[in-house]
Amino acid sequence: MSMDYVQRKFYLPKDVYTQLGMLAQDEGKTITAVLRDLVGDGLKQKKKKNSMRKLVEVAKQARKQ
């Protein structure tokens, strides 16, 4: 399966970049690969939180009725 990529430019604090570099080295990956993994995992967590929040809202509405 082929992925399409978008190139973006953004700035990171030096300490964050240093931590990314150390993590990449520890995991035997590039900084880019580590960033992709971290962003992907973060988006999955956000999606789960939003889904849970919506479920709680639906449950509250059902209780009111």
Side-chain angles (χ1 to χ4, degrees):
M1 184 165 121
S2 176
M3 292 189 104
D4 292 328
Y5 290 94
V6 175
Q7 184 176 356
R8 298 293 305 176
K9 181 178 181 177
F10 56 92
Y11 298 91
L12 297 170
K14 285 183 182 181
D15 63 320
V16 171
Y17 184 77
T18 300
Q19 290 176 45
L20 283 169
M22 291 188 304
L23 182 59
Q25 189 173 18
D26 289 347
E27 294 184 1
K29 297 179 179 180
T30 63
I31 289 176
T32 301
V34 170
L35 279 171
R36 285 186 191 126
D37 291 345
L38 290 171
V39 170
D41 292 347
L43 288 172
K44 286 177 191 173
Q45 286 181 347
K46 282 279 192 186
K47 189 174 181 179
K48 279 184 185 179
K49 276 186 181 181
N50 287 341
S51 294
M52 286 300 290
R53 188 177 317 136
K54 288 177 185 176
L55 184 60
V56 169
E57 288 174 19
V58 168
K60 285 181 183 178
Q61 289 297 325
R63 281 187 186 172
K64 287 181 182 179
Q65 295 176 2

